[in-house]
């Protein structure tokens, strides 16, 4: 297992699915858990230890609202933590992104945009690719396909 993807609540699943698809697509071994910094703090702590022992190299933590999950994970491990802010009902995710990004000095969390689950997965893969040439190759192909999609896109003036 290389990536541990943790989300704070079952309600986050739909917004995390695109990260799961990317990790699957790149063939990265990963595990997904629902654990909360506030509702299951002891289980979270135990899981972080287990994940480290199981060979996890990077954590992705998705959370909305007060969104303390990524920061709490970062406080318990020296592995990199990518924080994925989930759009909240009341404050549209501004609370989530600010909470995740504004970590105190000394305990960083790499924060992606609100609901940018795909980017969280890609960033994790880029980290793993530092020591894995085959993953790097897959990332090159991904970027190439992305580039071709943009260059092949056409504006149909009849449809406007
Ligand atoms: C956070 O609070 C979760 O990550 C979720 O985004 C948000 C709301 O959780 P629920 O009240 O839906 O369980 O902990």
């Amino acid at each position: 297992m290389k990536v541990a993807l943790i989300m704070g609540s079952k309600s986050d699943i739909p917004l995390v699915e695109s990260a799961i698809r990317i990790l699957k697509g790149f063939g990265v071994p990963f595990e997904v858990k629902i654990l909360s910094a506030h509702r299951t703090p002891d289980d979270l702590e135990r899981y972080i230890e287990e994940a480290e022992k199981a060979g996890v190299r990077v954590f992705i933590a998705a959370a909305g609202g007060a969104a303390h999950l990524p920061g709490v994970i970062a406080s318990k491990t020296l592995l990199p933590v990518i924080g994925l802010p989930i759009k909240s009902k009341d404050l549209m995710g501004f609370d989530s992104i600010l909470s995740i990004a504004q970590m105190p000095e000394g305990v960083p969390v790499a924060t992606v945009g609100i609901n940018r689950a795909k980017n969280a997965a890609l960033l994790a893969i880029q980290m793993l690719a530092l020591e894995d040439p085959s993953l790097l190759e897959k990332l090159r192909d991904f970027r190439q396909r992305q580039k071709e999609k943009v260059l092949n896109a056409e504006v149909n003036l009849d449809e406007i």
Side-chain angles (χ1 to χ4, degrees):
M1 206 205 339
K2 296 278 184 200
V3 178
L5 198 175
I6 310 176
M7 66 194 97
S9 167
K10 199 176 169 191
S11 65
D12 296 325
I13 293 174
L15 297 158
V16 167
E17 277 176 0
S18 56
I20 294 174
R21 273 194 288 276
I22 288 281
L23 292 168
K24 276 188 184 170
F26 277 81
V28 172
F30 67 99
E31 186 168 76
V32 184
K33 283 272 168 193
I34 300 173
L35 285 167
S36 159
H38 306 115
R39 293 165 174 158
T40 65
D42 300 332
D43 302 84
L44 175 63
E45 191 169 347
R46 265 196 299 278
Y47 177 68
I48 294 164
E49 273 180 36
E50 281 168 26
E52 283 193 346
K53 283 186 194 137
V56 160
R57 306 302 296 147
V58 49
F59 287 94
I60 298 174
H68 293 139
L69 181 64
V72 169
I73 296 171
S75 75
K76 298 281 182 191
T77 183
L78 289 175
L79 293 171
V81 178
I82 299 168
L84 167 58
I86 298 293
K87 187 172 176 180
S88 54
K89 281 179 227 124
D90 303 314
L91 297 171
M92 297 185 306
F94 283 110
D95 44 357
S96 323
I97 195 166
L98 294 178
S99 173
I100 294 175
Q102 288 300 107
M103 284 294 289
E105 282 187 11
V107 189
V109 165
T111 311
V112 295
I114 299 166
N115 287 355
R116 290 286 188 267
K118 202 168 164 178
N119 276 356
L122 286 168
L123 188 54
I125 293 165
Q126 285 180 229
M127 289 174 185
L128 297 174
L130 290 170
E131 290 170 3
D132 185 336
S134 70
L135 263 188
L136 195 60
E137 203 46 47
K138 287 182 189 174
L139 281 167
R140 274 205 193 93
D141 290 348
F142 178 88
R143 288 278 177 105
Q144 181 61 28
R145 286 198 302 276
Q146 183 171 256
K147 177 177 148 185
E148 282 163 11
K149 240 184 187 171
V150 174
L151 294 176
N152 292 334
E154 282 171 12
V155 180
N156 186 346
L157 292 178
D158 295 333
E159 280 178 2
I160 297 171

